[in-house]
Amino acid sequence: MRITLKSLLAATATCALAWAAPAAAQNAPTEAPASVEALDPVKAPPAVKDVDPALWVIKDADTTIYLFGSVHILKPGLGWFDDGVKTAFDRSDQLVLELVEPPAAEAQALFGKLAMDQQGKTLRSKMKDADRAVYDAAMGKLGIPAPALDPFEPWAAGITMSLLAMQKSGFDPNSGVEKQLTAAAKVSNKPIAGLETMEFQLGVFDTLPEAEQIAFLVETAKMIDEVGSTTDKMVAMWAAAETESLAQLMNEGMTSRTLYDALLTKRNANWAKWISAQMKKPGVTFIAVGAGHLAGPTSVQALLPAYGLTATRVAY
């Protein structure tokens, strides 16, 4: 089994991992940038482009659940939080996300606990010479000294490199869907709940075999120049509500069945069960999870009929 760049980017799209970039930067040695923002100069705000991502609704006599596919890290200037999405959000009694982002200090501590090698073995010592050369070259392209991520586990280094490359291409964690929804919920005093915890999401990667983690990292290093363009393609499909095309693109990278099941199938099943239970409670809930969970044959919507539920696309 092999982990590819597309699977890494799919991971970023399907787990709320955008917070990992600043957490990783804070845990990295001082030779690395103190913040991912340091990689990109201040720019004037771009003109807002109106986009209409897919939105679904599940309803019965006294319960409504809106299901929205999110992207956790976006470029500024996409106007998605309006029209049908804003109407559904305003009607809701609560916001439910993959996870509620913990305070920065807590996130950094947990990242340090799970993402750092606890045995003291350096990242680069785990690689073969040829792979290390590829990795060192990719780090150079990011403007980071090659040893800067040596304390990291391979999976954490791969995700960090990918997020830093996205940042360098203009993507901003502060422009992600969850950031904007969370801010709006706080302004309107909506309760915010999480389906998972940060520890759980990190654990999905931390429990992968080391060989698979290293393959993941090296593949990321080989394709570091393509991170921005590939993410742009995924975001364009999300923005145009091309859910099946998005599923196909993401599935091309999911050559590891272990990762596919851990990232998508098992979590989607858990969330479908959660929605079934929530439908027994009156009220209106707005759920936002990674867009990859709402596309393809094992999507959340595809699993709902087992509970006698149907998710319908909202036309807006």
Side-chain angles (χ1 to χ4, degrees):
M1 286 188 257
R2 187 169 64 92
I3 303 177
T4 69
L5 172 66
K6 288 178 182 176
S7 66
L8 186 148
L9 297 179
T12 307
T14 57
C15 289
L17 292 171
W19 49 262
Q26 290 296 326
N27 279 286
T30 54
E31 290 87 348
S35 167
V36 290
E37 285 77 6
L39 294 174
D40 207 25
V42 176
K43 298 177 182 177
V48 175
K49 177 184 177 182
D50 182 62
V51 298
D52 298 309
L55 175 70
W56 290 263
V57 65
I58 308 142
K59 298 182 71 170
D60 63 16
D62 59 359
T63 306
T64 298
I65 295 179
Y66 291 102
L67 197 54
F68 182 61
S70 72
V71 177
H72 307 306
I73 178 169
L74 289 167
K75 290 180 177 177
L78 288 181
W80 58 269
F81 195 22
D82 55 14
D83 302 330
V85 176
K86 185 65 162 58
T87 298
F89 179 84
D90 289 344
R91 289 175 178 169
S92 66
D93 305 315
Q94 67 169 334
L95 170 65
V96 176
L97 305 172
E98 288 186 33
L99 60 82
V100 177
E101 185 175 340
E106 182 181 333
Q108 290 164 18
L110 188 55
F111 191 88
K113 174 185 173 184
L114 294 179
M116 304 294 180
D117 187 293
Q118 303 300 316
Q119 308 302 317
K121 188 176 181 181
T122 65
L123 172 69
R124 294 165 72 247
S125 71
K126 299 174 183 178
M127 301 183 213
K128 297 177 181 178
D129 290 345
D131 290 340
R132 191 182 307 110
V134 171
Y135 169 80
D136 289 354
M139 290 288 279
K141 291 179 180 180
L142 293 173
I144 302 174
L149 301 183
D150 265 358
F152 285 14
E153 296 280 5
W155 69 264
I159 288 174
T160 300
M161 288 180 69
S162 177
L163 288 167
L164 291 171
M166 288 182 199
Q167 181 75 14
K168 198 169 185 179
S169 297
F171 289 88
D172 180 4
N174 291 317
S175 296
V177 167
E178 284 76 11
K179 289 280 189 182
Q180 296 184 55
L181 290 176
T182 297
K186 289 179 177 178
V187 168
S188 55
N189 293 315
K190 291 185 194 292
I192 306 172
L195 295 167
E196 298 172 344
T197 65
M198 181 175 132
E199 185 168 13
F200 171 84
Q201 289 199 355
L202 287 179
V204 171
F205 296 92
D206 194 43
T207 54
L208 289 171
E210 186 175 275
E212 197 158 356
Q213 292 186 35
I214 292 172
F216 184 21
L217 172 61
V218 173
E219 181 70 15
T220 304
K222 288 178 180 177
M223 308 297 287
I224 201 69
D225 291 331
E226 300 178 27
V227 168
S229 60
T230 303
T231 308
D232 277 333
K233 188 180 296 186
M234 288 184 175
V235 170
M237 291 175 180
W238 167 79
E242 297 175 357
T243 56
E244 293 311 310
S245 295
L246 179 61
Q248 182 177 354
L249 179 64
M250 292 175 61
N251 287 345
E252 287 175 6
M254 289 287 188
T255 56
S256 165
R257 187 68 198 188
T258 300
L259 188 65
Y260 183 91
D261 287 340
L263 280 180
L264 294 172
T265 308
K266 294 177 181 178
R267 297 169 69 214
N268 291 354
N270 289 341
W271 297 351
K273 184 177 181 180
W274 187 95
I275 289 171
S276 175
Q278 188 68 16
M279 288 298 296
K280 297 179 173 63
K281 306 173 185 178
V284 183
T285 299
F286 188 99
I287 301 177
V289 297
H293 293 283
L294 307 184
T298 61
S299 67
V300 173
Q301 307 94 300
L303 301 177
L304 289 174
Y307 297 95
L309 301 173
T310 300
T312 304
R313 274 284 293 272
V314 177
Y316 73 96

